[in-house]
Amino acid sequence: MDEIFIYDCNLNIEGFIHMLDDPTECYKFYWLDSIMQLLSEQEENITFDRIISGMISDAWYSVTEYHLRMGTKDNQGNSVNSIERAVNKLDALNYLEHTADRWQILRVIEENEKLLHDEKYQISKNVPYRLLSSFMKELGGNDPLWDQRKRLIAYMEMINKSCCIPYTIGTERGLSKRVIIEDRWRHFLIDNMVSIRGWIQMKKIKYLQDRNPGVPGIIYKLEPENEKQRKLQNVRKLWSAVIDMAGITDIYSGRLLGKRDYEIDHFVPWSFITNDEMWNLMPVNSSLNSSKRDKLPDWERYFSRFAQNQFMLNEMVYHYEKLAHLFGECQRDNLNALWSVEELYVKNIERDRFVKVLEGRLRPIYDSAKTQGYRIWLAG
């Protein structure tokens, strides 16, 4: 790993790489990434409070918009992970959209310091110190010095004279403590900003995937949805042609859809499945779609109607050359799952077989989203 870095040969790069080696611990990833962002903003006054605010902000989208879990729950149903608890407390205020930008989130965090104090304090107790354990191997994991903050800070100052650790910690009180980054390390972190943040992102993804094993597309769930580009243009052209030629019934209202009063919607919400695959897409009434938003349509009521529309689409694609051409235009962006073109959208497939294949693939994804906390929705 160290060969990709530009660095002063006197720095302990091996120790730096080992800083984030523990895949069971997420605080380290978010702590260091928050420091990196403050450095990129040329911030000089880097305190525990500002770093932890950045950690909470960075986890906002994953927890609120994508329903990802960062830790197990206690007996009261609250996450044991302090970052996730802080995000949930903030979300309960209903002050922010789930797609709020970083600066809006940081502002609301600052306005609610008392509310988040316990979670911030819990993070500050160990993370800033334990992160440097790879530079202080002489201290065992159970050494009592880890729990004696003043002595530990003094010890860091002492070894820094000969070892040059990435940062030392000031003697201020509580969350006002400063993180003092040694100049050579500051230059190293800034010079290698892209590589290090990419490395940290990989660690975050692995951690979140391990905690949310049934959830697809974790890599897309570290940033707000509105930064991603949907690929629905060709799908809309195809469904518009179907509506024009045969008519399609809205699965929610039971009414025929017009060419101008519908939207392409995801049966299982995009925020969970994070793709635009044809087998999860359907034309629906615009007003009802805005009501449904980020919820799961009731399976028992709506799946059979959804499957019928999908089957009708497939039948027409193999009967009309124009639709076959439009279907082909969807292949690159909307038909990437091999099973969909090998098992589902095939010529002369019987209706019962089509529905069985679609249900077998879609139901586990639907159930997984339900387990993650997505709410069930009924029209009207």
Side-chain angles (χ1 to χ4, degrees), residues 185-219:
W185 278 103
R186 181 183 290 269
H187 291 309
F188 166 76
L189 295 173
I190 292 173
D191 289 344
N192 295 280
M193 181 74 66
V194 174
S195 296
I196 294 171
R197 293 203 66 200
W199 177 41
I200 293 171
Q201 179 125 323
M202 179 186 70
K203 294 286 188 177
K204 286 182 180 179
I205 291 167
K206 186 179 187 311
Y207 177 86
L208 291 170
Q209 189 68 75
D210 288 345
R211 295 299 174 283
N212 301 270
V215 178
I218 296 287
I219 191 172

Side-chain angles (χ1 to χ4, degrees), residues 223-263:
E223 59 188 26
E225 179 183 340
N226 61 4
E227 290 184 11
K228 305 173 181 70
Q229 183 177 1
R230 298 290 182 84
K231 300 174 180 179
L232 302 176
Q233 184 176 13
N234 289 327
V235 175
R236 185 174 180 90
K237 289 179 181 178
L238 175 61
W239 278 110
S240 289
V242 172
I243 290 171
D244 190 43
M245 295 172 70
I248 290 291
T249 300
D250 175 52
I251 71 168
Y252 299 135
S253 67
R255 296 192 295 269
L256 285 175
L257 292 167
K259 289 182 64 175
R260 293 179 177 80
D261 65 352
Y262 81 92
E263 295 177 5

Side-chain angles (χ1 to χ4, degrees), residues 82-251:
S82 296
I83 304 176
E84 184 179 352
R85 282 205 312 275
V87 170
N88 286 332
K89 278 188 174 182
L90 210 60
D91 190 30
L93 297 174
N94 292 318
Y95 290 168
L96 290 165
E97 295 289 336
H98 291 172
T99 54
D101 65 38
R102 177 178 172 80
W103 303 112
Q104 290 173 315
I105 299 167
L106 289 172
R107 185 172 64 251
V108 174
I109 290 172
E110 184 178 355
E111 292 168 355
N112 292 276
E113 288 295 335
K114 289 184 179 179
L115 176 70
L116 305 177
H117 180 270
D118 289 350
E119 284 71 30
K120 283 191 168 188
Y121 176 72
Q122 191 64 37
I123 294 169
S124 74
K125 283 172 60 178
N126 293 303
V127 178
Y129 310 95
R130 291 282 183 172
L131 184 61
L132 297 175
S133 60
S134 60
F135 294 89
M136 300 183 287
K137 293 181 179 178
E138 65 279 4
L139 296 181
N142 296 319
D143 194 301
L145 189 59
W146 288 114
D147 297 319
Q148 300 172 36
R149 298 290 175 259
K150 288 184 179 180
R151 290 186 59 203
L152 186 58
I153 290 171
Y155 181 75
M156 289 178 177
E157 290 281 1
M158 181 188 73
I159 66 168
N160 189 49
K161 293 176 182 178
S162 58
C163 181
C164 188
I165 59 179
Y167 62 77
T168 55
I169 295 172
T171 57
E172 297 82 6
R173 295 177 59 85
L175 295 172
S176 297
K177 279 189 171 66
R178 289 184 304 132
V179 168
I180 305 160
I181 302 174
E182 199 274 340
D183 283 343
R184 282 177 292 174
W185 278 103
R186 181 183 290 269
H187 291 309
F188 166 76
L189 295 173
I190 292 173
D191 289 344
N192 295 280
M193 181 74 66
V194 174
S195 296
I196 294 171
R197 293 203 66 200
W199 177 41
I200 293 171
Q201 179 125 323
M202 179 186 70
K203 294 286 188 177
K204 286 182 180 179
I205 291 167
K206 186 179 187 311
Y207 177 86
L208 291 170
Q209 189 68 75
D210 288 345
R211 295 299 174 283
N212 301 270
V215 178
I218 296 287
I219 191 172
Y220 303 113
K221 297 180 177 179
L222 301 183
E223 59 188 26
E225 179 183 340
N226 61 4
E227 290 184 11
K228 305 173 181 70
Q229 183 177 1
R230 298 290 182 84
K231 300 174 180 179
L232 302 176
Q233 184 176 13
N234 289 327
V235 175
R236 185 174 180 90
K237 289 179 181 178
L238 175 61
W239 278 110
S240 289
V242 172
I243 290 171
D244 190 43
M245 295 172 70
I248 290 291
T249 300
D250 175 52
I251 71 168

